[in-house]
Amino acid sequence: SGMKLSIDSTMTRDKNKPSLLHVLDFRGNHMGDEGARALVKAILPVALASGKTTKPTNDSWSLPHLRHLILSWNDLTDDGVATLLPLLTKNKSGSGLKCLDLSCNPDLTNVSLNQHFVRALSAKKQSSLSSLEQLVLFSCRQINYLSPELVQTVCHDNFSLQQLNLQGTGCNLFSNDWEQMQFALQLNAAGRQVVLGKDRLQEAKCDDRKT
């Protein structure tokens, strides 16, 4: 708490010298939702970051080559994830995030997966505005359900997501929940890889980071 995220976007806004940074790794920083908001404002044009528009503007991202954003172990909640959703929109050059890693944020719930992401991505599926290929929710244990809306959205032909990593979450195909098994198989049949199962060693590492 009290952390101030400092990313001077003015240093990268020179159109003649765009930033070549393609990976931002903030794992273990415990930035919280406030830090997530500061991060989005630093990366995106003002109008897009404020939520006034969901379309790329004439202004470029401060980090136009950003492809991987790692926010594991950052004490994010569902509200923080909602703040990050504008990052799923492609920038002016037609590029955007390919991997969003939200592993080991134990306060994330089904709201993030089945409501926030569905709302953001379903609005974009017709024009394929999202470039996200991998969504990692490893060891977010309160996530335990794949909704029909999520499956329908991700299975859309124009959807870019290739892998949904739910390893170490509450989603478990061996709980005799045949509907969930059917949904997972449906996603795989559409060419979307769903990673499920338990990894006790990695979960222990997530627990260690919280202490």
Side-chain angles (χ1 to χ4, degrees):
S1 60
M3 184 206 73
K4 292 184 178 180
L5 185 67
S6 177
I7 300 179
D8 188 355
S9 60
T10 61
M11 295 177 61
T12 61
R13 299 305 292 275
D14 184 346
K15 294 182 179 180
N16 296 320
K17 297 180 180 180
S19 170
L20 298 179
L21 185 71
H22 65 278
V23 177
L24 272 180
D25 188 344
F26 283 108
R27 75 183 75 189
N29 274 281
H30 303 286
M31 67 171 62
D33 296 346
E34 181 180 356
R37 285 190 289 271
L39 178 63
V40 172
K41 288 181 180 179
I43 295 175
L44 296 184
V46 175
L48 190 58
S50 65
K52 294 180 181 179
T53 178
T54 56
K55 297 180 180 180
T57 67
N58 291 330
D59 199 0
S60 298
W61 286 31
S62 61
L63 301 175
H65 295 281
L66 182 63
R67 300 294 178 267
H68 300 269
L69 179 59
I70 303 172
L71 295 174
S72 53
W73 292 294
N74 267 291
D75 303 326
L76 298 177
T77 71
D78 295 326
D79 289 340
V81 169
T83 301
L84 295 170
L85 294 181
L87 294 176
L88 302 184
T89 302
K90 289 182 180 179
N91 58 35
K92 184 181 177 182
S93 66
S95 302
L97 277 185
K98 292 187 177 296
C99 176
L100 178 59
D101 187 344
L102 298 172
S103 299
C104 299
N105 284 291
D107 292 328
L108 298 188
T109 73
N110 291 323
V111 171
S112 289
L113 179 61
N114 293 307
Q115 294 184 32
H116 292 337
F117 281 112
V118 169
R119 183 172 64 251
L121 298 174
S122 62
K124 299 173 174 58
K125 65 184 180 182
Q126 296 296 334
S127 55
S128 191
L129 285 177
S130 175
S131 59
L132 192 68
E133 296 180 357
Q134 184 180 29
L135 176 59
V136 184
L137 295 166
F138 174 83
S139 202
C140 297
R141 300 179 193 177
Q142 293 192 62
I143 296 177
N144 58 15
Y145 178 68
L146 302 175
S147 72
E149 293 78 15
L150 173 71
V151 175
Q152 181 180 9
T153 298
V154 175
C155 284
H156 193 278
D157 289 343
N158 288 340
F159 198 71
S160 59
L161 192 71
Q162 297 177 9
Q163 184 185 83
L164 176 60
N165 190 328
L166 297 171
Q167 190 176 22
T169 67
C171 295
N172 187 352
L173 292 185
F174 300 99
S175 60
N176 293 324
D177 190 336
W178 303 116
E179 181 186 50
Q180 293 294 286
M181 180 177 289
Q182 181 182 14
F183 286 163
L185 292 174
Q186 185 177 345
L187 288 169
N188 281 317
R192 322 301 187 196
Q193 182 185 16
V194 181
V195 182
L196 295 166
K198 301 292 183 181
D199 189 328
R200 299 300 183 187
L201 178 60
Q202 288 297 324
E203 286 184 6
K205 291 181 179 179
C206 287
D207 290 337
D208 290 343
R209 281 297 189 101
K210 293 190 296 182
T211 59

